[in-house]
Each structure stands twice: as C-alpha cells, then as structure tokens.
Amino acid sequence: MSPHPHSERPTNVFPPGFLWGAATSSYQVEGAAREDGRALSIWDTFTAERGMDSGEVACDHYHRWPTDADLMAHLGMNAYRFSLAWPRIVPNGTGAVNPAGLAHYDRMVDGLLERGITPVPTLYHWDLPQALQERGGWTSRATSDAFAAYTEICLDALGDRVDTWLTVNEPWVASVLGYRLGLHAPGEEDLRTSLLVAHHLLLAHGAATQRIRERRPFARVGIPLSLFPNYPVTDDPADTAAAWGSDGYTNRWFLDPVLRGRYPADTAELFERLVGPLDWVRPGDLDLIGARPDLIGVNYYTRRRISAAAAEPLPWRVLPAQPGVPVTDSGWEDVPEVFYDLLVRLHRDYDIPLLITENGGVWNAEPGPDGRVRDTGRVRALRAHLLAMSRAIEAGVQVLGYLHWSLLDNLEWAEGYGQRFGLVHVDRETQRRTVKDSARYYAAVIAANRVVDATDGLAGKREDPGWG
Ligand code: FCB
C-alpha cells in the first residue's frame, strides 16, 4: 500500500482529534463487589469455586475513580475505555434496574467529561450476572435479548453524553476460554457449546448495535475483538494452510459475520465436521449481526505461531515463542511489526475505521528504593507499537485512537494479580498508585502528539503528585 500521495503530514504525527488513553474493565478494577446493590457475576462465582484471586477489592476503582481520573488528566489522556457492570445496573440480568448502580456510572461519565476525558464505555466485559447464568447464560438465546434490554437502559441513562459505544468484548476469548478450554468463567469445556455461545455473543452485539442506532443515531458503535495474527512456522504449504485455518477460528469467525454478514465458509465447514450442524443460526441472525458497525475495536497483544500438526480436535497446533524473539514477562512474543501487518490487513480486507481498544503487555517492575518504577520493557514496547501504528496510518489505515491496556495493574482474570499490565503501578496492600516510567513516556507522546524518543518524559525532576 502506498502512502497518501499528497500528505504533507510529518511522520509519526497523529491526526487531530486522535483519542489517547487507556482501558480497564469493571470486574478487573472496581472491587466493591457487594456494594450499592451489585449482584454476583459469573466471575465472582468462578473465582470463589476455584479459589482464585478475585475482584472483590481489585483496584478499588469504584471508590477511587475520581483520583484515577485526575491521574489520567495529569498524564494528558483525552479518552478512557471502561466497562459497565451489568450486575450493578440490572442485578438480576433482566427486570428491575438498580438506580445506585446507574448513578455510579452517571457520576463517572460526568467526572470524566469535566476533566476533558471522552468516556468510551464497553457494555459487556465478561461479568455476566450470575442470575442469568442460572437461566443458561450465553448458551441461551434469551441472554442476547436480555443484553439488548440492558443496552437500552444504559443508552437512556448515559447516551446524552457518550458518543462512542463498545458492545461485547472479545467474543473469541469469552467463548473459547470460557466454554472450550475451561480457563475463564463459567469454566466449561466443549467446542460445540463454545460455538453456540459465540453466536449468541455476536447476536448480542447485533441487537445492541440496532438499539444504539435507533436511540442514538449520531453515536459511533464498535465491537472490540481479540485479533491474533496467525503465522505459519515454516513456508511449507501445510503450515500455511493451517495458519489460515487458525485465522478462521480466531479472527474471521468474528470479523466476517460482523463486517460481511456471513460466517467464513472454510471455517464453518471445519466446525460442522467437528460438531455437526450449526443449527442455532436462525434466519435473519446474520442480517442483525452484519449491520456494519462504525468501527472495529482492535485488541492486539501478540501473534500465534501455527504448525500443521494436529492438536485434537483442531487440525493445527499453536507453538510457543520462537527462540530469540523478545517476550514479555508472561512469555508472549513482543512483536510490534505484527501489529502493523494486522492494521494494514484489516484495512485491506474490511475497509473500516479502527480504534485500538487494547494493546500492552506484562512487565512486572516494582518500585525501586527511590520509588520509581522502571518498566523499561513496557516503554520500549509501547514506543515500538506506536511507531508501527503510525506507519499504518501513513499507509492509509484509518485509526481513531489508541487505548493502552491497561491504566492500572489489575486482576488479570485467571492469572490473578501476578501479571502487571498497568501504566500505573498499584500497591496491593495500600492501593497506592505510582506512575511508572511507561506512563511518563506515554504522557510525553500525548503532549507532543507524536512518537517521541524513549527517554523523553523520563528525565528531570518528578513532579507527579502522590496518588494515594
Ligand atoms: C484481553 C482482555 C482484557 C485483559 C487483556 C490482557 O483479552 O480483554 O480484559 O485481560 O486481555
């Protein structure tokens, strides 16, 4: 793809109005699990059953959001992606609204706007009300209807001040880790069920999109997808075919219905061979799912290395990090050039504006004796990913903004609190927030609206107020 021929924009400068911020999700940061009428979610139940770290207290963001918002403003951020907790707003999943739950987000949206921060709420980031789980959860089509009704409640309460809505976070992770691999709530292990759930999550996205368009015609709507580019480990045609198969499973199974109104034929054929007819897809479903959103939320972390060797029941295998390739502290390959390839591919194949709704990695740096958190791995990776994104923009890809995962060190789902993704360090005992080097670097990028040198923002006297 050639750069814009007439563009006079200097390199690494971002378009005006570009959203710069960070992301979190309700269960991962809020805590206050039993306050103000919040009911249990499937993640409360799942973590309790398995004796895992839970979101009971998390980062106490439910109470500390005003100082966390001050902190974002201090760093120059102009956008914040957070999620609305369904079990706070409609504790039973359907029926009565909990006014205290809604009031919380109402205050928060006002508080963000007062600080010049655009609120970018996600309607669903995996904390399904437990009451709905007891009625079948996402295996039941009725849950998609319940989600549409819950969406209307959120729109009526916040829609006058929110102009970008995100629907269902990462249906691949929610369906595959939750229903095929048993790693996420509710912990089931069945491929057929996971495909049924994936369809209902997509239906929920479609129904929410329809409601948003009806009630807030000028708002933008998007779905955040976990997109894992699949790279064959060799150029053997069998590996190349396996990587394309795995791309169908992780990426096209979601991109194609949302943006083309159909499931990809090759992947559908494979799934039907493995689990029988996908007979839960009803007439009209794909029209609803395929009403093109205004943007795709790109959640990008790493690539998948694929070989043709089968890993039952799927006819490919995911290999560990390639020796010599840098990895994060959780062992994921840190490969910014893959981010560039992904953005260009999405533009080429789907021609849709992109919002980076997650990008980041685990670097577990702790405060040094001087109190400073030298997360140099994150500084380096952040800079490299921003450069890759900027190159993609120069190649013609429309990117609306960049929301780093995450604002805070938080509950990394089944991995617990041991994996730190934050720009801001959170002390687990005291909840004290410490601005890491990466956040200072990011603030320098935002201030300049271009990718500055890795040392910018880090030198000189530290003037961060204490964020107790
Ligand atoms: C994504 C999730 C997000 C976070 C990151 C690391 O899959 O959407 O909540 O856990 O991974």
Side-chain angles (χ1 to χ4, degrees), residues 25 28 81 125-126 169-170 173 226 299 301 332 358 405 410-413 421:
S25 88
Q28 294 178 277
R81 175 184 178 218
H125 202 126
W126 307 349
N169 184 65
E170 298 187 347
V173 175
S226 51
N299 292 1
Y301 290 93
W332 292 0
E358 291 183 25
W405 186 273
N410 60 44
L411 176 74
E412 180 45 27
W413 305 111
F421 273 91

Side-chain angles (χ1 to χ4, degrees), residues 260-335:
R260 296 181 171 158
R262 57 172 191 269
Y263 282 116
D266 59 321
T267 317
E269 204 179 289
L270 167 70
F271 288 155
E272 295 207 316
R273 225 171 38 236
L274 297 174
V275 305
L278 312 178
D279 49 14
W280 48 77
V281 181
R282 297 196 190 158
D285 282 5
L286 284 156
D287 294 331
L288 190 68
I289 296 169
R292 256 175 105 82
D294 302 289
L295 59 95
I296 289 292
V298 177
N299 292 1
Y300 167 76
Y301 290 93
T302 192
R303 63 174 178 172
R304 283 159 57 100
R305 299 178 62 231
I306 301 294
S307 88
E312 294 301 326
L314 300 171
W316 56 76
R317 188 174 295 278
V318 184
L319 300 179
Q322 184 177 342
V325 169
V327 291
T328 68
D329 287 352
S330 66
W332 292 0
E333 286 184 331
D334 176 23
V335 278

Side-chain angles (χ1 to χ4, degrees), residues 342-408:
L342 170 67
L343 299 178
V344 169
R345 179 239 175 142
L346 291 170
H347 176 66
R348 185 195 60 212
D349 292 356
Y350 298 98
D351 189 19
I352 177 120
L354 308 174
L355 175 63
I356 312 310
T357 37
E358 291 183 25
N359 173 237
V362 178
W363 280 277
N364 283 327
E366 292 290 336
D370 57 356
R372 181 164 158 192
V373 184
R374 292 173 172 77
D375 57 339
T376 38
R378 182 173 292 101
V379 174
R380 219 176 309 120
L382 173 57
R383 180 166 188 276
H385 283 79
L386 294 177
L387 282 173
M389 178 177 78
S390 137
R391 277 205 298 128
I393 293 172
E394 278 155 26
V397 182
Q398 198 185 342
V399 182
L400 304 167
Y402 177 87
L403 303 167
H404 191 81
W405 186 273
S406 178
L407 177 67
L408 302 170

Side-chain angles (χ1 to χ4, degrees), residues 1 5 58 83 107 165 168 203 242 309 360 385 464:
M1 214 172 309
S83 78
R107 283 191 300 271
W165 290 92
V168 174
L203 260 188
H385 283 79
D464 303 319

Side-chain angles (χ1 to χ4, degrees), residues 21 39 147 189 206 237 277 315 336 379 443 449 453 458:
F147 183 70
E189 295 184 44
V379 174
N449 200 38
D453 289 346
L458 303 186

